Amino acid sequence: MDAAQQEAAARARELQSQWYGEPLGTLFRRLIDDLGLNQARLATVLGLSAPMLSQLMSGQRAKIGNPAVVQRVQALQELAGEVARGDISAGNATARMEEIKRTAGGSVLNNTVQGGTAGASQTPVKRIVREIQALMRSVSDAADILDASTALADRHPELAEFLRVYGAGRTADAVKHYEEHAN
């Protein structure tokens, strides 16, 4: 790899850190280790080709272009956390990965998940929050989302808390906030 390619890969990993919280190579290697997968199996579960997964991991590509794949990554991260805590057995984790693989993403408008059932592994609120986050991340990076949230909050102070929690916050915080303020 020449200097220009190394510089481009470093920039891509920097962008991945902004968009996804860490370089995708690091994130995907952790999922592989935590869930006992290989790269080919991870690519299959995510709905990516093996070469695309490799390009994302190496920094040859910066962004996951499909919001449904981003949702699958998030679902696998949750599953890996459950496995690490001992909340789910290896057999059940395998079954959940098959469910995640079949999930083609949902729609806030029709409340369905293609290839699966809505809320099968997530509450409807959590699924909607994740979809909003995935859609926002698919069109912009974290810094742009925070800037947009701040600008909207300045214009509409009544939305400031909503924007902080739903637009740029953690999923668990958004779900908790919704549940506390739903009634």
Side-chain angles (χ1 to χ4, degrees), residues 111-181:
N111 201 31
T112 62
V113 177
Q114 298 168 358
T117 57
S121 62
Q122 297 181 9
T123 64
V125 172
K126 189 173 194 177
R127 188 184 57 75
I128 290 169
V129 168
R130 283 210 175 276
E131 185 167 346
I132 290 167
Q133 291 170 334
L135 288 170
M136 292 176 79
R137 289 180 188 129
S138 74
V139 298
S140 191
D141 64 31
D144 289 342
I145 293 169
L146 289 171
D147 290 346
S149 293
T150 300
L152 282 170
D154 289 346
R155 286 190 207 123
H156 302 281
E158 70 279 8
L159 296 177
E161 180 68 5
F162 174 85
L163 292 166
R164 183 192 66 76
V165 173
Y166 289 93
R170 296 173 44 86
T171 302
D173 296 339
V175 170
K176 180 180 176 187
H177 183 268
Y178 175 83
E179 290 170 347
E180 288 173 355
H181 296 90

Side-chain angles (χ1 to χ4, degrees), residues 9 13 16 22 32 36 45 49-50 58 60-61 64 93 126 135 147 153 167 170 173 182:
R13 285 190 289 276
Q16 289 173 348
E22 64 187 319
I32 287 168
V45 172
S49 68
S58 68
Q60 290 175 317
R61 289 186 180 260
I64 300 171
K126 189 173 194 177
L135 288 170
D147 290 346
R170 296 173 44 86
D173 296 339

Side-chain angles (χ1 to χ4, degrees), residues 28-39 42 57:
F28 290 153
R29 277 187 283 284
R30 189 174 56 253
L31 289 175
I32 287 168
D33 291 343
D34 291 351
L35 296 172
L37 304 172
N38 59 36
Q39 276 187 251
L42 178 62
M57 290 180 75

